[in-house]
Amino acid sequence: MRILVIEDELHILNMLAEKLRDEGYAVDTAQDGDEGYYLASEYPVDIAIIDIGLPKMTGIEIIKKIREEGKNFPVLILTARGKWQDKVEGLDAGADDYLVKPFAIEELMARLNALLRRSKGFATSTVDYGPLSLDTKAQTVSVNNQILDITAYEYKVMEYLMLHPSEVVSKTVLTDHIYEQDYDRDSNVIEVFVGRLRKKIDPDNTIKPIETLRGRGYKLNTKALESISGV
Amino acid sequence: MFSIKRRLLLVGSTVILFFLLITAFALEKAFRSVADQARDERLHANIYTLLAAADLDGDSLQLPEMLPEQRLMLPDSGLYAYVLDNNHTVIWSSPSAIGLSKPQIELMSPGEEMMNTINSEKELQILQFGVSWQSYDQKDYQFTIAVIEDSKGYNQQIASYRKNLYGWLAALVVVLVVVQIYILRWGLSPLAKVERDISDIESGKNANLDGNYPKEINGITRNLNILIENERRRQKQYQDTLANLAHSLKTPLAVLKNEVDARESNSIMIEQVDRINSMVEYQLSRAALSGRITYTSAIKVLPIAEKLISALDKVFVDKKLICVLECNQDIQINAVEGDLMEILGNLLENAYKWSKTTINVRISQLDEAGSRIQGIKIVIDDDGPGINQSSIENILIRGGRADTTTPGHGIGLAVVKDLVDSYMGILDIGVSPVGGASISIEIPPR
């Protein structure tokens, strides 16, 4: 998942970026409102953390503008004052949750997970399709309750596909969402990740959990998965 | 303390009364003097009439049977006359004096006269006048003529005048006091307008004193407007400074907290950073209390409650809670909007956090006869686990500080308690009908 963090305090920004990368997010960062707004409107962001008090453009203004542009990724606002006026203003402008500084990183991660889940229309932290199960909290993928041994990038690809089950996801979109802005991208790597995932989920090649739609991209084969009852 | 109007009315009425009493005294004295003079002239005129009608007959003085003054002819008419010779013998008395016991009459030398009052059966006014009559044989005979008038008529005249005088003066007092009341009301009406306008500011109908006032109080209203404006500006500056302080304190705290959490090396450090954090949070919230400051505008409660509920519905969407709000759209409170948001926001957040299915919010207006500013009652019931007794006591009875914290309800509820206290209100924590927490707040009318 690609996350945008807009925070003017460099220490907090670096700390957040580090923690989020550790958690498997592709992190884009901005230190002021203008840059943050540019990233939010131009990049395929899945979720954003926006501080309310920012230089150049306030967090509230950024949220209002991106919502006006039709961007509906979840936004979590950070507020130092913890005043209800700020929280309500932020939520009213289009934010989805708030967190008062200072916060425990675990709390932040839990909120982000919940927001992501909610934004994809899932009620719990696990997403199941037949024998295949994704746990966004534990960041694991399991088949028939057996947790698969997959890498962070493989997880990111699987998470994106499972959270967008009805969409055909192109390699570019996948690249955009799992890699950071200034990362050296190579779309062939995605093919490698998908190939490995297919082998790990379905070694006998009977379920075919990930369909390839030639020239368009990948799609989770929900029909095939749901036709098999999990163990 | 007496109002200015009452003071002016009291002083004005006293002056009017005092002035009219002196006037009454002077007028009565003047009238009495005129009446006395008229009586003197009348008695003198009667003496001259008698002298004109009299004629010497031997050594005695003769008066005709028919006298020019009719009252002297009628018995008990109130006007009597006597003529005495030098031996103090009455040689003539008027027919009107029949039945009247002769009063004490002094003998007068020729040309001498004396006026005196006799109080016997009746009050009589007597004028004695000495005359000398020369006979044809050049002999002088001395007589004393006394004309007596009953004072009854005179006294009646004075009493009637006095009655009239005091009647009119009493009417004049009433008229002057009424006129004075109207003058005062009109004269003091700009002050009453200022009072009404200040009351409108207090109740939030107006932002400042913007009426047309006379030049005498223009200075006061202008200064009051400046004062109100300064108070608002100062309040805003204060809040902004606190916001900046919060930002500059909490940002390094956030870094520190995450650094300490990440290392997981020293539990005392983690505990102490959390403690500093709670203290900063609590003390900044306390410092931000606006309280019932003067000249706060009245704000509608419903839109704020709806905004908060809609915000919390969004945040707690996973819990699928039902929040039932009972609040009339006219309900309002004189408070800083941020304060009301803190009260409702903290209480609702706790309710959303702990409730299982339903939250009931009831907001009603509290009014009292004679109060200029209305109060408000807020009751929030949830169906969560409730708040344990020791936490309730900690917050309500011991004035508990939330930095020694009550898990889950801590800082929020303590901030609400401080805010409610600053509005001279009451916070009560009980058990809701379904067994959860029931928080009730009353901010009384003023």
Side-chain angles (χ1 to χ4, degrees):
Chain A
M1 289 288 148
R2 189 172 193 141
I3 188 164
L4 170 64
V5 185
I6 316 175
E7 163 66 62
D8 58 331
E9 197 59 41
L10 193 60
H11 284 297
I12 295 186
L13 185 65
N14 289 340
M15 181 269 293
L16 280 175
E18 191 189 324
K19 301 277 179 189
L20 289 164
R21 281 188 190 112
D22 288 350
E23 294 291 325
Y25 285 96
V27 187
D28 293 318
T29 57
Q31 252 190 294
D32 64 59
D34 280 352
E35 192 191 352
Y37 167 63
Y38 172 75
L39 292 177
S41 59
E42 297 299 327
Y43 284 78
V45 174
D46 291 307
I47 188 165
I49 300 173
I50 303 178
D51 184 30
I52 284 187
L54 289 169
K56 295 186 183 173
M57 189 190 291
T58 68
I60 307 284
E61 284 171 314
I62 296 175
I63 299 167
K64 273 187 187 160
K65 286 180 99 165
I66 57 173
R67 290 296 187 239
E68 275 166 19
E69 288 170 10
K71 308 249 179 232
N72 55 6
F73 54 81
V75 173
L76 184 138
I77 47 171
L78 295 180
T79 157
R81 274 208 302 176
K83 302 291 280 181
W84 275 96
Q85 235 156 351
D86 296 345
K87 295 179 199 169
V88 167
E89 204 185 343
L91 292 165
D92 220 26
D96 300 272
D97 203 353
Y98 56 84
L99 208 53
V100 179
K101 287 182 193 172
F103 47 83
I105 202 77
E106 295 77 19
E107 170 83 7
L108 177 72
M109 292 305 165
R111 299 281 185 100
L112 291 177
N113 257 322
L115 283 178
L116 273 173
R117 234 186 331 100
R118 206 192 296 161
S119 71
K120 307 300 173 202
F122 300 104
T124 63
S125 61
T126 55
V127 181
D128 300 313
Y129 289 102
L132 189 61
S133 178
L134 173 86
D135 188 337
T136 55
K137 216 169 177 178
Q139 299 203 338
T140 56
V141 178
S142 49
V143 178
N144 290 330
N145 292 335
Q146 295 294 309
I147 295 172
L148 300 179
D149 181 18
I150 54 174
T151 65
Y153 279 107
E154 286 164 9
Y155 172 79
K156 286 182 193 179
V157 171
M158 202 59 219
E159 182 189 51
Y160 197 87
L161 289 172
M162 286 187 79
L163 291 178
H164 300 83
S166 54
E167 293 172 27
V168 176
V169 185
S170 70
K171 277 191 266 186
T172 319
V173 169
L174 269 176
T175 313
D176 283 345
H177 284 275
I178 66 174
Y179 287 117
E180 290 171 19
Q181 174 195 350
D182 47 2
Y183 203 87
D184 186 18
R185 296 154 184 232
D186 179 1
S187 64
N188 290 330
V189 178
I190 299 292
E191 284 176 32
V192 176
F193 291 152
V194 172
R196 281 196 214 153
L197 280 167
R198 278 178 176 144
K199 277 184 192 158
K200 287 179 183 176
I201 297 167
D202 182 25
D204 304 332
N205 200 21
T206 50
I207 315 170
K208 294 189 172 53
I210 303 167
E211 290 179 85
T212 303
L213 292 102
R214 200 162 292 277
R216 290 163 65 197
Y218 303 105
K219 186 176 177 296
L220 194 71
N221 194 351
T222 50
K223 273 186 192 168
L225 285 164
E226 278 167 346
S227 66
I228 304 161
S229 58
V231 178
Chain B
M1 202 180 204
F2 281 166
S3 65
I4 295 177
K5 191 175 170 185
R6 195 177 282 187
R7 283 159 195 245
L8 290 175
L9 194 62
L10 198 71
V11 171
S13 303
T14 310
V15 168
I16 288 173
L17 205 65
F18 189 66
F19 173 77
L20 289 181
L21 279 175
I22 290 176
T23 307
F25 177 74
L27 282 176
E28 192 184 322
K29 205 164 164 56
F31 181 79
R32 199 181 274 273
S33 161
V34 169
D36 282 351
Q37 200 182 344
R39 187 174 61 183
D40 282 4
E41 281 172 4
R42 223 168 31 244
L43 289 175
H44 276 100
N46 280 317
I47 282 183
Y48 297 138
T49 308
L50 285 174
L51 281 175
D55 201 9
L56 193 66
D57 182 17
D59 57 356
S60 181
L61 207 59
Q62 281 295 315
L63 281 138
E65 280 180 15
M66 292 302 291
L67 293 167
E69 173 54 63
Q70 283 299 304
R71 287 172 69 204
L72 289 171
M73 304 289 294
L74 301 169
D76 203 22
S77 68
L79 184 69
Y80 318 100
Y82 289 92
V83 178
L84 282 82
D85 64 11
N86 225 11
N87 301 320
H88 216 275
T89 310
V90 174
I91 55 170
W92 181 85
S93 64
S94 67
S96 61
I98 295 167
L100 181 79
S101 39
K102 182 183 83 66
Q104 181 67 38
I105 300 168
E106 302 280 327
L107 288 180
M108 297 283 124
S109 311
E112 190 189 8
E113 66 173 57
M114 186 175 78
M115 177 83 82
N116 58 339
T117 305
I118 297 164
N119 276 308
S120 51
E121 296 161 18
K122 297 173 178 179
E123 189 191 321
L124 301 168
Q125 192 69 26
I126 175 163
L127 175 64
Q128 296 136 118
F129 189 74
V131 291
S132 170
W133 216 286
Q134 202 172 41
S135 64
Y136 292 113
D137 52 0
Q138 304 296 310
K139 274 179 84 176
D140 284 332
Y141 297 96
Q142 290 184 8
F143 304 100
T144 296
I145 301 172
V147 177
I148 301 158
E149 195 180 62
D150 193 334
S151 293
K152 193 178 161 191
Y154 169 85
N155 288 340
Q156 272 175 351
Q157 194 184 3
I158 295 287
S160 158
Y161 172 77
R162 188 182 276 171
K163 193 177 158 190
N164 261 325
L165 177 69
Y166 284 104
W168 279 107
L169 286 181
L172 200 60
V173 167
V174 172
V175 169
L176 284 176
V177 168
V178 170
V179 168
Q180 191 192 212
I181 290 171
Y182 276 100
I183 289 172
L184 284 177
R185 189 173 290 175
W186 179 73
L188 295 176
S189 62
L191 285 180
K193 182 173 159 41
V194 170
E195 194 205 356
R196 272 198 311 276
D197 289 352
I198 289 176
S199 178
D200 280 353
I201 293 173
E202 283 179 331
S203 60
K205 288 179 195 155
N206 266 335
N208 48 26
L209 299 167
D210 53 3
N212 276 327
Y213 305 103
K215 62 178 181 186
E216 290 86 348
I217 54 171
N218 243 343
I220 297 173
T221 53
R222 199 171 45 241
N223 285 338
L224 255 175
N225 275 334
I226 293 170
L227 196 72
I228 294 168
E229 195 49 47
N230 281 346
E231 168 72 8
R232 288 186 181 136
R233 201 176 300 135
R234 193 190 59 76
Q235 193 67 22
K236 190 177 178 312
Q237 266 172 1
Y238 180 64
Q239 295 291 343
D240 289 349
T241 309
L242 276 175
N244 293 338
L245 183 64
H247 192 263
S248 36
L249 275 176
K250 288 174 102 185
T251 303
L253 256 176
V255 177
L256 202 59
K257 180 175 166 56
N258 284 296
E259 205 56 41
V260 171
D261 281 351
R263 292 185 186 182
E264 290 174 358
S265 53
N266 194 332
S267 63
I268 295 177
M269 274 178 78
I270 295 172
E271 191 188 310
Q272 291 308 310
V273 167
D274 283 344
R275 204 173 140 76
I276 293 171
N277 178 35
S278 296
M279 275 190 224
V280 167
E281 175 97 358
Y282 179 66
Q283 296 301 348
L284 279 176
S285 303
R286 267 182 70 89
L289 300 181
S290 307
R292 199 161 236 188
I293 55 168
T294 322
Y295 309 125
T296 45
S297 304
I299 45 169
K300 297 244 181 214
V301 179
L302 183 65
I304 292 172
E306 282 178 337
K307 249 188 205 177
L308 281 161
I309 289 172
S310 130
L312 286 161
D313 275 343
K314 199 173 189 182
V315 174
F316 290 88
V317 66
D318 287 346
K319 292 190 79 173
K320 296 188 173 64
L321 296 170
I322 296 166
C323 181
V324 182
L325 171 66
E326 283 176 42
C327 177
N328 188 300
Q329 61 172 357
D330 297 328
I331 292 175
Q332 55 180 23
I333 181 174
N334 282 77
V336 175
E337 189 174 327
D339 288 350
L340 182 63
M341 273 209 160
E342 286 309 298
I343 293 176
L344 276 173
N346 282 312
L347 293 182
L348 284 168
E349 189 187 37
N350 278 342
Y352 270 83
K353 230 182 245 177
W354 295 100
S355 201
K356 286 177 203 144
T357 58
T358 317
I359 299 157
N360 281 302
V361 184
R362 294 187 302 282
I363 303 173
S364 50
Q365 193 89 69
L366 297 176
D367 215 345
E368 227 171 59
S371 63
R372 286 205 294 202
I373 293 173
Q374 294 167 311
I376 188 177
K377 181 173 184 178
I378 303 169
V379 180
I380 299 180
D381 290 342
D382 66 53
D383 58 355
I387 307 175
N388 65 52
Q389 197 55 37
S390 65
S391 301
I392 294 176
E393 280 171 16
N394 186 39
I395 291 165
L396 294 187
I397 300 164
R398 288 175 236 143
R401 288 172 36 157
D403 49 354
T404 57
T405 186
T406 312
H409 291 277
I411 292 174
L413 209 44
V415 167
V416 170
K417 168 86 171 87
D418 287 338
L419 264 171
V420 171
D421 282 349
S422 76
Y423 281 82
M424 286 163 263
I426 303 161
L427 168 74
D428 198 23
I429 306 172
V431 179
S432 73
V434 286
S438 174
I439 317 273
S440 134
I441 282 170
E442 273 188 41
I443 292 169
R446 274 195 304 172

